[in-house]
Amino acid sequence: MISARSLVLRRTLPFLFSTLALGLVAGCDDENGSSSTNSSSSSSSSSSSSGSGGAGGEDVGFRLSGTLSYEYVPFDVDLEKLDYGKIEKRPIRGASVRLIDADTDAEIAKTSSDDEGAYSFDYMGAAKVKLWVYAETEAPSLTVEDNTSGDAVYVMESNTADSAADAKLDVLAATGWDGTAYTKTRAAAPFAVLDTAYLSAKRFLDEVSPPPVFPPLKFNWSVNNRPEDGDKALGQIGTSHFDGEELYILGKEDVDTDEFDSHITVHEWGHWFNKTLGRADTIGGTHSSSDIEDPRVAFSEGFCTALSAIVLDPDTTYTDSSGPQQASGFSNDVEMNENNVEKNPGWFSETTVEGVVYDLYDGPNEPFDQVSVGISGIYAALRTQKDKPSFTTIFSYVASLKENNPQAAADIDAVTSFYNASADFGVDPIEDEWGTNETHSGGFPGSLPVYKEGVVGNSYTVDLTGDTETNRLSQNVYVRIEGDGMSITVTSTSPSDVDLAVFKAGVLVTTDGNVSGEESVTFDSEAGTIYVLSVRGFNTMPVSYGAEITISH
């Protein structure tokens, strides 16, 4: 095997070509200037002509073949750290591979690696050649780029080979780890990120009919990406996240690296997947496993964590490494079914959501879990939920699942009911998207009913409880309003700062967010259409306070 000669970043524009040598692997952009990276996914190997070369046919003059692979560092669940002593070699699948004239850098042909990382070229052209392996896939379109180097794409460049004698050329992207630190180029990192992303997409492409149509997606990974807020072009990305358009992945050695934390990558891919093919109403913000969250946040985070276990099944343990030598971290088995009252289970808990969603997906392997909708059922419910007038919560999702699988309704209820821990913490059998007859308040009586009924001409007092975070259950109240074809005005009066926002099937219609408790929004309603009013409080003190809501013409 020949290790990659260098890892570089390339950007190709008309009449412009620049490279930045980084080390063991190579990087470059494709013809239209976009960035791309290599991922572990499957694709059939096929050659195509480019430049002076030709592929296939009786006129073939040369043949070059081999396998492409990268090193992957697994997570030790017992010691909760990356285990460099058990590095695995994994195939680079579905990656764009270019055959390059070693003397001129002209492209002769291109292909994609297959499920085993194999590639081959039969071509006419120069005998002295090399490979450029892009950190990108074409179907679906995935790219890994360096946000700290002008969004240049990672490309792996091989050593030179003489293909005159039916040559074999295997290329390995190494970790760069010397036993105590990354002392060489971390060539494997962008390919590990791409591999996980491609695997995520392939699960749905292979198991859903008709398969989803994925738009192009870019990942931003850099050795400079660190948990610091600021300029993303300098690596100050805060944390691994989806910013609404692209994904950013941490890579700062001895601080926090996520390229080998596959569950993190799938989780963040899940946010993109949810927004792109489903619907995401989450308001974001800081969150953790035992928080009593706004149910939009709880569903978004819990669903994406469950998705990581689904995609990586049978590896259901969510892991994250960090710290010096990546020797710290945490792990959480999504299959643990945390229903202890100390975990605050309920419709407002991301831990409950992840457990419910995963159990609905997997086989009937527990007494309370006798349902299995598979990945196609998980996807179908996500699509059904998309058109609901309610917010996206565990209620809308499970209601959609029951709508699609009426014969399994009782078994689905058994899964959600497993999380009933006390009068305040749990989930009742889900009747509809509105959480009708839900009795668990999460310790905040003002949270029930989940959606208050708002009638034009009436006033209501909603009860809130302050918190340092505004994405908590206690700081958010929903009011359901049916349109009557007339203009509707909603006002608030509160001693504390509150915001009003009106949504139609998750789409913002209007909002007022000044810094007082005196808010007013007006919108033209459609007769018979259900709108949802969100009342969001901003009192950071742990005290109860109210907001009077008036709905009028």
Side-chain angles (χ1 to χ4, degrees):
M1 170 173 292
I2 299 176
S3 294
R5 183 173 61 84
S6 60
L7 176 61
V8 299
L9 304 173
R10 295 186 188 274
R11 187 174 297 103
T12 305
L13 298 172
F15 310 109
L16 171 65
F17 182 84
S18 63
T19 62
L20 173 62
L22 294 184
L24 275 183
V25 192
C28 60
D29 280 2
D30 58 15
E31 296 85 0
N32 60 16
S34 65
S35 301
S36 40
T37 54
N38 218 0
S39 155
S40 179
S41 46
S42 56
S43 173
S44 60
S45 178
S46 62
S47 298
S48 62
S49 300
S50 176
S52 61
E58 296 180 355
D59 295 331
V60 168
F62 303 115
R63 178 176 180 82
L64 180 71
S65 61
T67 59
L68 313 174
S69 56
Y70 72 97
E71 292 183 333
Y72 178 83
V73 185
F75 187 92
D76 187 318
V77 175
D78 294 327
L79 298 179
E80 297 195 319
K81 67 174 185 176
L82 289 187
D83 188 350
Y84 292 96
K86 294 183 179 179
I87 290 177
E88 305 168 4
K89 188 172 73 172
R90 295 186 174 184
I92 296 175
R93 298 168 287 181
S96 178
V97 187
R98 314 295 175 89
L99 182 66
I100 304 297
D101 186 317
D103 293 325
T104 66
D105 275 354
E107 181 179 303
I108 300 172
K110 62 181 179 181
T111 188
S112 295
S113 56
D114 68 12
D115 287 352
E116 305 303 320
Y119 74 92
S120 65
F121 290 102
D122 293 301
Y123 71 98
M124 294 284 291
K128 189 178 179 183
V129 294
K130 60 186 176 181
L131 299 178
W132 284 353
V133 183
Y134 285 69
E136 68 178 357
T137 59
E138 296 181 1
S141 176
L142 298 168
T143 298
V144 180
E145 61 187 23
D146 186 345
N147 52 288
T148 66
S149 187
D151 294 338
V153 180
Y154 292 99
V155 179
M156 181 162 61
E157 181 177 273
S158 73
N159 282 336
T160 299
D162 186 342
S163 60
D166 192 13
K168 298 288 184 181
L169 178 61
D170 297 335
V171 184
L172 174 68
T175 64
W177 184 257
D178 73 354
T180 58
Y182 289 121
T183 57
K184 298 179 181 179
T185 302
R186 292 158 61 183
F191 291 95
V193 172
L194 187 59
D195 178 57
T196 302
Y198 197 69
L199 172 63
S200 300
K202 287 291 287 181
R203 285 297 309 273
F204 287 89
L205 291 172
D206 292 345
E207 299 178 42
V208 172
S209 181
V213 177
F214 291 114
L217 174 62
K218 291 183 179 181
F219 284 78
N220 297 272
W221 177 87
S222 169
V223 296
N224 300 308
N225 283 356
R226 55 195 183 276
E228 176 184 328
D229 293 328
D231 187 348
K232 290 180 179 178
L234 299 177
Q236 299 165 324
I237 69 169
T239 186
S240 293
H241 70 281
F242 170 54
D243 73 351
E245 295 183 0
E246 302 179 2
L247 279 84
Y248 289 80
I249 305 297
L250 290 166
K252 186 65 174 177
E253 179 184 3
D254 295 329
V255 178
D256 201 340
T257 65
D258 281 343
E259 61 264 23
F260 299 122
D261 295 333
S262 299
H263 283 268
I264 298 291
T265 299
V266 179
H267 178 102
E268 300 307 334
W269 179 87
H271 284 301
W272 170 82
F273 175 78
N274 212 347
K275 177 181 181 293
T276 304
L277 298 178
R279 195 179 106 201
D281 296 342
T282 180
I283 57 177
T286 302
H287 60 92
S288 63
S289 60
S290 297
D291 288 338
I292 303 172
E293 301 164 356
D294 177 286
R296 293 169 291 183
V297 177
F299 176 75
S300 179
E301 298 302 332
F303 180 87
C304 291
T305 297
L307 191 62
S308 75
I310 290 170
V311 166
L312 300 173
D313 183 24
D315 178 10
T316 61
T317 302
Y318 191 88
T319 59
D320 184 15
S321 62
S322 61
Q325 296 185 318
Q326 296 64 249
S328 300
F330 73 88
S331 61
N332 164 46
D333 190 349
V334 176
E335 263 281 65
M336 283 295 291
N337 307 119
E338 298 282 4
N339 67 347
N340 296 327
V341 69
E342 293 81 7
K343 296 292 185 179
N344 296 333
W347 48 278
F348 35 74
S349 164
E350 61 183 83
T351 303
T352 296
V353 172
E354 70 187 48
V356 167
V357 172
Y358 186 80
D359 279 330
L360 294 172
Y361 151 80
D362 74 351
N365 55 357
E366 292 130 334
F368 66 89
D369 175 16
Q370 297 300 307
V371 61
S372 175
V373 301
I375 206 165
S376 60
I378 293 298
Y379 176 73
L382 199 70
R383 297 288 287 178
T384 300
Q385 175 185 244
K386 184 176 182 178
D387 299 322
K388 299 290 186 184
S390 63
F391 285 137
T392 53
T393 68
I394 192 174
F395 298 114
S396 61
Y397 187 77
V398 171
S400 297
L401 197 74
K402 293 171 76 171
E403 181 180 325
N404 295 342
N405 304 273
Q407 77 287 351
D411 290 333
I412 293 171
D413 287 342
V415 171
T416 57
S417 296
F418 173 80
Y419 291 89
N420 288 337
S422 69
D424 286 336
F425 294 94
V427 187
D428 288 315
I430 293 175
E431 299 182 18
D432 55 31
E433 66 195 273
W434 305 105
T436 300
N437 294 324
E438 177 59 58
T439 63
H440 300 88
S441 68
F444 301 103
S447 67
L448 295 177
V450 179
Y451 291 83
K452 283 68 173 168
E453 289 292 337
V455 178
V456 175
N458 290 353
S459 294
Y460 308 87
T461 297
V462 298
D463 298 316
L464 304 167
T465 301
D467 195 288
T468 55
E469 303 294 337
T470 64
N471 66 349
R472 300 297 189 250
L473 176 67
S474 64
Q475 293 262 60
N476 293 272
V477 170
Y478 307 157
V479 181
R480 171 177 161 169
I481 304 171
E482 183 173 349
D484 55 11
M486 301 177 65
S487 179
I488 296 175
T489 296
V490 182
T491 61
S492 67
T493 301
S494 175
S496 297
D497 180 20
V498 298
D499 283 357
L500 301 181
V502 177
F503 296 84
K504 176 186 174 183
V507 178
L508 179 65
V509 176
T510 183
T511 185
D512 189 1
N514 65 59
V515 294
S516 75
E518 308 293 322
E519 315 284 332
S520 179
V521 294
T522 299
F523 62 100
D524 295 326
S525 71
E526 299 174 9
T529 295
I530 302 297
Y531 297 86
V532 176
L533 168 71
S534 166
V535 183
R536 186 175 183 181
F538 290 85
N539 192 325
T540 59
M541 301 299 293
V543 297
S544 297
Y545 63 101
E548 184 176 352
I549 305 298
T550 300
I551 307 173
S552 62
H553 284 311

